[in-house]
Amino acid sequence: MSSAAWRTARRSTCPSLALLMGVVACSTQESTDSALASVIVSSDDIYVVGTSTSIALIEDIMPAADGAAWVLTSTDPFLVLLSQEGEELRVTGARGGGPGELSWPTTLARDPVTGVVVVYDAALGRLLPADHEEQDAPFAQAAASSGPIRLNSYEYLWTNNGGRTWIEGTESGFVFAEPTPAIPWISSLWSTEVVRLMPNGETRRLVSTAELVGDSSTRFPGARRFLPYPIWTACPDGSLAVYDPNENLLRRLSADGEALKTHQLPPERRVDMTAERVFATVYPGILRNRLMADPPERDVLYDAFRRDYSNRADEFATVFPEYVHLDCSSPDTLWLQLFDSGGGQMGRGPRWLRVSSDGDIGTVDFPGTFRPMQFHEGRIWGIHTGEFDVEYVAWTELGEQ
């Protein structure tokens, strides 16, 4: 993509922004990133690959060879391979316990050494080859458990049904996040261990968010719901990064979890927590993920939520989190997504911070119809929501750093 395609601009208007587990709307204060160079990705910059009748809701996307992409969909058969032209090449992953069958698939990942795409089955706690005909694909147990395994992620906290978890493939094994047992909801993100699953099946603890960023009570005493939270990622070069909400900075770490350097982030917006903003974030996800079999009218549901919120207000933080997701593009450029209650994507807003290895920060605005999901080899793969809320596989080029 040319620099003209990713149009650069400077902004001073206040965007509508929000943050998870509580929602954010634009406050009366000026936008904290108004002085940052901003790149705008237009709808014309999004290449729509396509969809198929086998795809319901897209839960995850992972690029494969030759521009093709695996899609994890919400109903079985769960896996669809689309060519770069959008042609359906393969459908697999029926529900069951036999070869090529899946029980509770939540996430796609890719082994950068072999190029094999794997699917994480939460019921089994295993990584299985998306293409079950792959003879050399890993078949590794991610954790020992007699039942469904909980790995920490943003979507899992929202849907409480084993939604898309955080798993990254690295040259030295897959990396994932385990919560401390018995800690509920978003508080668990403050007590998470980032773990590497070695090729031989052994696991190695890399970093603990509790040790790295401290306790939430430092800034948010008494808060147990919808409070800001740490976020982590692994980069293609093997390094790690963690967002520290106590200090409002990014911490870069080596592949083994050793501290390297930090990047100070723009001043926080500190948007006030309200029942209306929380509901505005949650409600679209209730509809998309069918969290209620027969939801009442919006006004009826909001009124019930508002009453419940008023009885639990002291359990919430006073402000929303600043960021909802952290990702990394090759080799170590960090992407930090701002939370937005009005985005219609469970708080996932269209604006991201892009942070270079030297700490240079800019903003990138994506179209509201495009949700980035994978940063892979010069492209950002994601979901394009078209007419009638039909979801398509799509991508855009990374643009100039």
Side-chain angles (χ1 to χ4, degrees), residues 10-43:
R10 292 189 178 272
R11 293 191 164 190
S12 59
T13 57
C14 183
S16 173
L17 296 169
L19 253 359
L20 165 62
M21 291 333 232
V23 113
V24 178
C26 184
S27 68
T28 56
Q29 67 188 42
E30 185 178 352
S31 171
T32 58
D33 58 4
S34 60
L36 299 178
S38 178
V39 169
I40 302 172
V41 181
S42 76
S43 297

Side-chain angles (χ1 to χ4, degrees), residues 16-25 150 152-160 164 184-190 220 223-232 243 245 269 271-274 277-283 285 289 291 305 309 315-326 336-343 345-349 371:
S16 173
L17 296 169
L19 253 359
L20 165 62
M21 291 333 232
V23 113
V24 178
R150 172 186 169 191
N152 258 356
S153 70
Y154 173 77
E155 278 91 348
Y156 192 102
L157 294 175
W158 271 113
T159 63
N160 199 30
R164 185 179 185 236
W185 287 92
I186 200 169
S187 300
S188 67
L189 298 180
W190 286 86
F220 315 103
R224 295 187 290 122
R225 301 173 184 268
F226 294 90
L227 70 160
Y229 55 95
I231 321 172
W232 50 86
Y243 160 66
R269 294 162 294 162
V271 177
D272 291 338
M273 185 80 66
T274 67
R277 290 168 178 166
V278 174
F279 185 79
T281 302
V282 175
Y283 184 69
N289 296 303
L291 301 185
F305 174 84
Y309 178 88
E315 299 178 10
F316 289 74
T318 58
V319 296
F320 286 99
E322 283 298 304
Y323 305 102
V324 62
H325 183 71
L326 179 63
L336 194 54
Q337 185 177 23
L338 290 116
F339 192 97
D340 184 350
S341 62
Q345 298 180 1
M346 300 295 281
R348 292 186 175 277
R371 174 189 167 183

Side-chain angles (χ1 to χ4, degrees), residues 116-382:
V116 171
V117 174
V118 297
V119 56
Y120 175 66
D121 193 307
L124 303 175
R126 290 180 179 270
L127 296 171
L128 308 172
D131 185 348
H132 70 276
E133 297 178 359
E134 283 279 358
Q135 298 300 312
D136 298 325
F139 188 86
Q141 185 166 333
S145 175
S146 59
I149 295 173
R150 172 186 169 191
L151 299 182
N152 258 356
S153 70
Y154 173 77
E155 278 91 348
Y156 192 102
L157 294 175
W158 271 113
T159 63
N160 199 30
N161 66 355
R164 185 179 185 236
T165 51
W166 180 80
I167 299 176
E168 293 285 348
T170 72
E171 293 185 357
S172 52
F174 290 93
V175 182
F176 57 93
E178 289 184 331
T180 300
I183 296 181
W185 287 92
I186 200 169
S187 300
S188 67
L189 298 180
W190 286 86
S191 187
T192 288
E193 288 192 351
V194 178
V195 177
R196 177 178 290 124
L197 175 67
M198 310 297 288
N200 63 4
E202 296 179 358
T203 57
R204 178 181 298 171
R205 175 184 175 277
L206 301 177
V207 65
S208 164
T209 58
E211 295 175 2
L212 193 65
V213 308
D215 189 82
S216 62
S217 62
T218 301
R219 292 189 63 195
F220 315 103
R224 295 187 290 122
R225 301 173 184 268
F226 294 90
L227 70 160
Y229 55 95
I231 321 172
W232 50 86
T233 194
C235 290
D237 69 354
S239 63
L240 307 172
V242 175
Y243 160 66
D244 183 344
N246 273 339
E247 300 293 337
N248 189 36
L249 50 78
L250 287 171
R251 299 184 181 274
R252 287 188 183 265
L253 312 166
S254 70
D256 293 323
E258 299 296 324
L260 297 177
K261 56 185 173 181
T262 62
H263 303 308
Q264 192 66 47
L265 294 169
E268 298 170 320
R269 294 162 294 162
R270 298 191 62 80
V271 177
D272 291 338
M273 185 80 66
T274 67
E276 182 177 355
R277 290 168 178 166
V278 174
F279 185 79
T281 302
V282 175
Y283 184 69
I286 291 175
L287 299 181
R288 181 189 186 275
N289 296 303
R290 299 180 177 88
L291 301 185
M292 300 178 69
D294 187 20
E297 293 294 326
R298 187 186 191 281
D299 291 346
V300 174
L301 191 60
Y302 170 66
D303 189 55
F305 174 84
R306 180 183 54 78
R307 291 195 302 270
D308 184 62
Y309 178 88
S310 64
N311 294 329
R312 300 169 178 254
D314 59 343
E315 299 178 10
F316 289 74
T318 58
V319 296
F320 286 99
E322 283 298 304
Y323 305 102
V324 62
H325 183 71
L326 179 63
D327 217 314
C328 193
S329 61
S330 183
D332 61 354
T333 297
L334 298 176
W335 294 76
L336 194 54
Q337 185 177 23
L338 290 116
F339 192 97
D340 184 350
S341 62
Q345 298 180 1
M346 300 295 281
R348 292 186 175 277
R351 174 165 291 189
W352 295 63
L353 296 186
R354 183 168 56 180
V355 185
S356 72
S357 59
D358 295 329
D360 294 331
I361 300 177
T363 65
V364 178
D365 289 332
F366 294 95
T369 56
F370 179 72
R371 174 189 167 183
M373 305 224 12
Q374 300 287 351
F375 293 73
H376 179 71
E377 296 181 354
R379 290 179 178 177
I380 304 172
W381 290 78

